[in-house]
Amino acid sequence: MITSISWRNVWRNKLRSGVIMFSIAFGIVAGVFAVALTQGLIEQRISESIELETGHVQIHNVQYLEEQETGHFLEGMADIQSQLNALPEVGAATYRTKITAMAMSANGNAGIQLIGIDPEEEKTVFGLSEKLTDGAYFEGIKRNPILISQRTAEKLKLKLRSKVVLTMQDNDHEIVGGAFRVVGIFKTSNSGYDQGNMFVRKSDLQRIVKLDEVHEVVIKATEGYTPEQTKEAIATVIPSTWKEQTWAEIMPELAYYNESGSLSSLIILGIIFLALAFAILNTMLMVVLERVQEIGVLMAVGMGRLKIFSMIVLETVFLSLVGGVVGLLLSYGLIEYFGKNGIDIENSEGYESLGFSSVIYPEISPEFYPQVAIAVVIVAIASSIFPAVKALKLKPNEAIKGHL
């Protein structure tokens, strides 16, 4: 009986109930969508960094991490490569030679990181071949092809088949150089990465710098294994002069983004729920004050204080749940739509300079929705306590007369 009375009471003043339900629904949509937007932005950044920049685990010479010189290579890699590839945790690996170089064209120059790769091997770990905006992935030019970014092409005024002269230091500390032809132009969501890197065939680079070794191994973990598990497995087969690092160790700012993003999401939801709690409390207090005589009559005919308390709490819960369910359904619809179509941010150079994509795809874990629903019920119950206690303090003989 108390349940049905509480449900009917919700609809006695449809306008007021509608306003508070709309407020709850709007607050939940705003909060949940803000969380989804934050999580989507961070997950995209981490995912794109792993797929284009860091992989899951990297291996370097310890000295190379301190000074990125040509001579600090992974000596003896030929003997260890087969052991690395045989590890069940290692899904794929690419072996790279990296040199700091100066790129020059007829229209300018730029300091860059020159990365020598095996094109087919690189495709098993990174998705660079899918980021081409023009040209081909090391196809069409036989001698010294080079991949450059769209940003670098604009800066040096280069196009497909343009000549780029690269100057660098070889393994004997001599200044050497070579002429390359642009075979493809790529663009990623990280403008800093684009501006700083060029890609050539490893065999071409090793020939110029007189070095038949690699400076870096980038590993993609087998599905089902974490980067940390993969790192531990790698540590068992490499020498102590080498160092293995997960993506979180290589780019700690990404791990910080992940942690701070979760914290900021909780703060946003906390503020919204606090505002909703005060709105619900105010509404239910008005309800109690309007029904002083009614509550007095119920007390006079024998309704217990516990039932009156339950009636007010249930009315608050019903009011909040209707608004909460509507808000969650709208949130789900918005997140599903924009999760597929994305939100294009205009004038996104600032985002791209930090490595974030100009198109954001909101995403949120499915278990987040029931958590929000539970939080709505808790907020409703907490907000109803003061009005309910206020009702319990009424004296039947005075309340019937409309006196508090």
Side-chain angles (χ1 to χ4, degrees):
M1 184 181 74
I2 296 298
T3 303
S4 61
I5 291 174
S6 299
W7 177 251
R8 285 198 299 269
N9 283 342
V10 170
W11 306 106
R12 286 174 64 174
N13 189 326
K14 293 182 175 62
L15 178 61
R16 181 171 59 204
S17 296
V19 169
I20 193 64
M21 287 175 184
F22 174 80
S23 300
I24 292 169
F26 181 80
I28 288 174
V29 169
V32 172
F33 193 74
V35 171
L37 206 60
T38 302
Q39 289 188 359
L41 191 66
I42 292 170
E43 287 299 321
Q44 278 177 247
R45 177 70 179 101
I46 292 174
S47 176
E48 290 180 1
S49 294
I50 290 173
E51 292 175 4
L52 289 170
E53 300 177 47
T54 66
H56 290 115
V57 183
Q58 290 188 6
I59 304 171
H60 300 94
N61 186 313
V62 173
Q63 290 179 304
Y64 183 83
L65 295 174
E66 297 171 358
E67 295 179 310
Q68 294 187 8
E69 293 186 2
T70 307
H72 298 327
F73 50 80
L74 295 170
E75 188 173 4
M77 174 53 72
D79 300 325
I80 297 175
Q81 185 170 343
S82 58
Q83 297 179 54
L84 276 175
N85 292 337
L87 291 172
E89 293 84 356
V90 176
T94 180
Y95 300 80
R96 305 161 123 197
T97 300
K98 299 178 72 174
I99 304 291
T100 300
M102 178 65 72
M104 295 175 288
S105 72
N107 299 290
N109 58 74
I112 52 97
Q113 182 85 69
L114 189 61
I115 304 175
I117 61 172
D118 179 312
E120 294 305 312
E121 190 178 73
E122 188 82 0
K123 286 168 70 173
T124 64
V125 178
F126 290 121
L128 183 66
S129 60
E130 300 171 2
K131 298 295 181 179
L132 297 182
T133 59
D134 200 2
Y137 185 69
F138 291 101
E139 295 176 0
I141 295 177
K142 293 183 178 180
R143 181 175 173 79
N144 291 354
I146 186 170
L147 283 180
I148 66 172
S149 71
Q150 184 175 309
R151 183 173 286 264
T152 301
E154 292 170 356
K155 180 180 179 180
L156 301 182
K157 294 182 173 58
L158 297 170
K159 57 184 180 179
L160 289 182
R161 307 192 73 84
S162 293
K163 184 169 75 170
V164 183
V165 176
L166 300 176
T167 304
M168 65 207 82
Q169 192 177 67
D170 69 8
N171 196 34
D172 298 322
H173 303 288
E174 298 290 336
I175 300 299
V176 295
F180 289 76
R181 293 280 177 183
V182 177
V183 68
I185 298 174
F186 66 88
K187 185 182 186 300
T188 73
S189 60
N190 188 340
S191 60
Y193 175 83
D194 288 0
Q195 190 169 337
N197 294 287
M198 291 185 179
F199 296 84
V200 298
R201 287 188 303 222
K202 183 166 58 180
S203 56
D204 294 335
L205 180 57
Q206 289 180 341
R207 183 185 71 252
I208 293 171
V209 298
K210 303 171 187 175
L211 178 70
D212 192 24
E213 300 284 355
V214 297
H215 297 99
E216 177 179 88
V217 183
V218 185
I219 291 164
K220 180 180 181 181
T222 303
E223 188 174 352
Y225 289 98
T226 66
E228 289 72 23
Q229 291 172 325
T230 307
K231 174 187 171 181
E232 290 174 4
I234 290 168
T236 63
V237 300
I238 64 173
S240 58
T241 54
W242 298 2
K243 185 175 179 63
E244 70 287 352
Q245 297 173 293
T246 64
W247 65 265
E249 293 171 314
I250 297 164
M251 301 184 76
E253 67 273 15
L254 294 185
Y256 172 75
Y257 286 151
N258 200 17
E259 294 173 4
S260 62
S262 300
L263 180 60
S264 63
S265 298
L266 290 175
I267 292 172
I268 291 169
L269 279 178
I271 293 171
I272 289 173
F273 277 125
L274 185 63
L276 290 177
F278 279 108
I280 295 169
L281 186 150
N282 181 62
T283 300
M284 294 312 298
L285 193 57
M286 289 172 60
V287 167
V288 169
L289 294 177
E290 286 179 0
R291 299 178 189 167
V292 168
Q293 288 180 305
E294 181 183 322
I295 293 171
V297 171
L298 291 173
M299 287 180 171
V301 297
M303 180 177 280
R305 292 181 180 272
L306 180 59
K307 288 185 176 181
I308 290 173
F309 182 88
S310 301
M311 180 180 69
I312 295 171
V313 170
L314 279 174
E315 184 177 343
T316 311
V317 170
F318 286 145
L319 190 69
S320 302
L321 273 179
V322 172
V325 169
V326 171
L328 287 174
L329 289 174
L330 289 173
S331 300
Y332 177 80
L334 283 172
I335 292 168
E336 282 294 302
Y337 176 79
F338 287 110
K340 293 177 181 177
N341 298 286
I343 301 172
D344 194 356
I345 303 173
E346 295 182 3
N347 301 320
S348 59
E349 289 187 8
Y351 278 94
E352 291 183 351
S353 66
L354 295 173
F356 293 101
S357 174
S358 60
V359 180
I360 303 173
Y361 297 90
E363 62 177 78
I364 205 165
S365 56
E367 60 268 19
F368 187 77
Y369 294 104
Q371 290 173 359
V372 172
I374 292 169
V376 168
V377 173
I378 293 171
V379 168
I381 293 172
S383 302
S384 67
I385 290 175
F386 179 72
V389 170
K390 187 77 173 175
L392 295 183
K393 290 181 178 180
L394 295 174
K395 296 178 180 179
N397 57 339
E398 294 182 2
I400 290 172
K401 298 175 183 178
H403 299 153
L404 293 176

